[in-house]
Amino acid sequence: MIKVLLADDSPLVRAVLKDIFAATGDIRVVGEAADGREAVELAAQLHPDLIVMDLMMPVLDGLAAIEEIMSGSPAPILVLSGTLDDREVNRAFAAIKKGALDVMSKPDGGGLANPSEFSAGIIEKVRLLARIRVIRRPSRTREQPVPVPLAGGRKILAIGASTGGPKAVMSIVRNLPADFRGAVLIVQHIASGFDRGFAQWLDGECPLKVRLAAEGDVLKEGLVLVAPTDCHLMVADGRVRLTYGPPVNCCRPSIDVMFSSLVPRGGQVVGVLLTGMGKDGAQGLRSIKEQGGATIVQDEQSCAVFGMPKAAISLAAADRVLPLDTIPAAIIKLFANSTEE
């Protein structure tokens, strides 16, 4: 049984969520908080498997509550955003930076009169996120990267991520230098409506210019392009192509689609596959490696969900399996070495 704590100042929202979860048979609401302070106290008392958290609450807002919960009684947190305006979306990504695992919007800008589509989505999220262990990890000895033969001048950094990915992607891109000598492409599986906010959040946190990709964009050094929601991002003739083909690995945008489009660039590509459920990106990463590109996957201990990296490792697609906090240095070294060839 999955124990869920609801933190929302709206009695209506809490009632609808309780009805949704009651119909599942495996999700049980064990507590309700009407403000952030109450959420912090109940998290410590009840030790829920998951907290569903609103951000706009009285007494203590959601951001402050998340910070206190993660420092005192860590638990997986799913943020529900009432609107998709810039301010609210920015707050949602600030919540991820403070420790929340994922974010999704309430339907109809917060109205819950017709929750059928919303129900399936939040049930799936709760079942996935509740399995993630949120713990404090002691510092440990970093593994030494295995040298990778350089096959050509590195020009493109392609990053794929899913569950737990926004914070992981941010930690990589923010640690790249302002004069990074490569174009950066990102496919992040994210809830509809949050793609532009994700790009804006990265842009505010990172030294590089980050924006949502558009059809026909030219790949440029120091420019980070994020795949929009619900369309595949491909590269052809040095330009971005956005397509609305069928989902691949149940995903659109698909990491495999992006990686596969970069295979003709061979040794120019560094592919990075981060935390996420499923296998999207694994086959494409293997193809990049086979054509002389460098490939990195996130290690199990630093992943929120080890599914995608594990799938890549099983296909022998990874040159290196690294803790998240060592990946930026490995990327920088690959690009620096490639300029010396």
Side-chain angles (χ1 to χ4, degrees):
M1 184 69 68
I2 299 171
K3 300 183 297 181
V4 173
L5 169 62
L6 303 180
D8 198 304
D9 61 330
S10 167
L12 172 61
V13 171
R14 298 199 308 271
V16 171
L17 291 175
K18 282 195 297 183
D19 287 344
I20 291 171
F21 297 146
T24 65
D26 65 331
I27 302 172
R28 180 166 63 94
V29 174
V30 295
E32 299 179 51
D35 61 64
R37 175 54 58 201
E38 191 175 8
V40 173
E41 293 170 353
L42 288 177
Q45 294 171 17
L46 300 173
H47 303 290
D49 298 312
L50 180 85
I51 302 171
V52 179
M53 176 81 73
D54 187 25
L55 293 180
M56 301 297 291
M57 292 188 293
V59 184
L60 190 70
D61 70 13
L63 289 179
I66 289 170
E67 191 166 21
E68 289 198 26
I69 288 169
M70 296 311 294
S71 65
S73 306
I77 297 175
L78 170 63
V79 168
L80 287 189
S81 178
T83 69
L84 291 176
D85 62 35
D86 287 350
R87 184 166 180 265
E88 184 73 1
V89 170
N90 287 341
R91 286 172 62 85
F93 286 107
I96 288 176
K97 185 177 179 181
K98 290 181 181 295
L101 285 176
D102 211 340
V103 58
M104 63 185 297
S105 62
K106 299 174 185 176
D108 303 322
L112 286 163
N114 299 299
S116 55
E117 292 184 9
F118 171 77
S119 299
I122 195 167
I123 289 169
E124 181 182 14
K125 289 277 190 189
V126 167
R127 287 173 173 160
L128 171 61
L129 298 180
R131 300 204 303 262
I132 298 173
R133 291 189 353 172
V134 180
I135 60 174
R136 298 191 180 284
R137 297 184 176 94
S139 60
R140 56 190 172 86
T141 303
R142 305 301 179 194
E143 66 177 86
Q144 296 299 313
V146 176
V148 178
L150 296 172
R154 310 296 182 194
K155 295 183 178 180
I156 301 171
L157 171 62
I159 302 172
S162 187
T163 307
K167 188 174 181 181
V169 170
M170 187 268 286
S171 72
I172 290 175
V173 181
R174 77 183 303 181
N175 284 297
L176 297 178
D179 60 351
F180 183 68
R181 300 295 299 276
V184 184
L185 301 172
I186 297 170
V187 170
Q188 166 68 56
H189 301 159
I190 201 163
S192 180
F194 287 93
D195 49 357
R196 185 167 65 95
F198 177 55
Q200 290 174 343
W201 177 61
L202 288 178
D203 188 56
E205 293 281 343
C206 304
L208 303 177
K209 174 62 180 175
V210 184
R211 63 174 173 82
L212 209 60
E215 174 68 23
D217 274 340
V218 177
L219 302 191
K220 298 178 181 178
E221 286 187 358
L223 176 62
V224 182
L225 297 175
V226 176
T229 298
D230 205 33
C231 61
H232 295 304
L233 184 154
M234 306 173 67
V235 174
D237 300 323
R239 291 182 178 270
V240 167
R241 301 299 179 197
L242 301 179
T243 70
Y244 294 87
V248 175
N249 300 317
C250 302
C251 301
R252 192 174 65 191
S254 163
I255 302 165
D256 262 331
V257 169
M258 175 182 68
F259 282 169
S260 296
S261 75
L262 294 172
V263 169
R265 306 295 290 263
Q268 296 179 352
V269 181
V270 175
V272 179
L273 191 59
L274 303 175
T275 173
M277 183 178 183
K279 62 179 183 178
D280 192 31
Q283 185 60 58
L285 198 71
R286 178 180 177 179
S287 297
I288 288 173
K289 180 182 177 181
E290 289 173 344
Q291 294 302 312
T295 59
I296 299 170
V297 303
Q298 186 177 353
D299 75 346
E300 182 173 8
Q301 190 172 0
S302 65
C303 278
V305 180
F306 191 49
M308 297 189 323
K310 182 179 180 180
I313 292 168
S314 71
L315 291 178
D319 289 323
R320 309 182 185 189
V321 180
L322 298 175
L324 179 63
D325 59 2
T326 69
I327 292 176
I331 291 169
I332 292 167
K333 186 174 182 180
L334 281 167
F335 277 82
N337 287 347
S338 71
T339 63
E340 297 171 1
E341 293 182 336

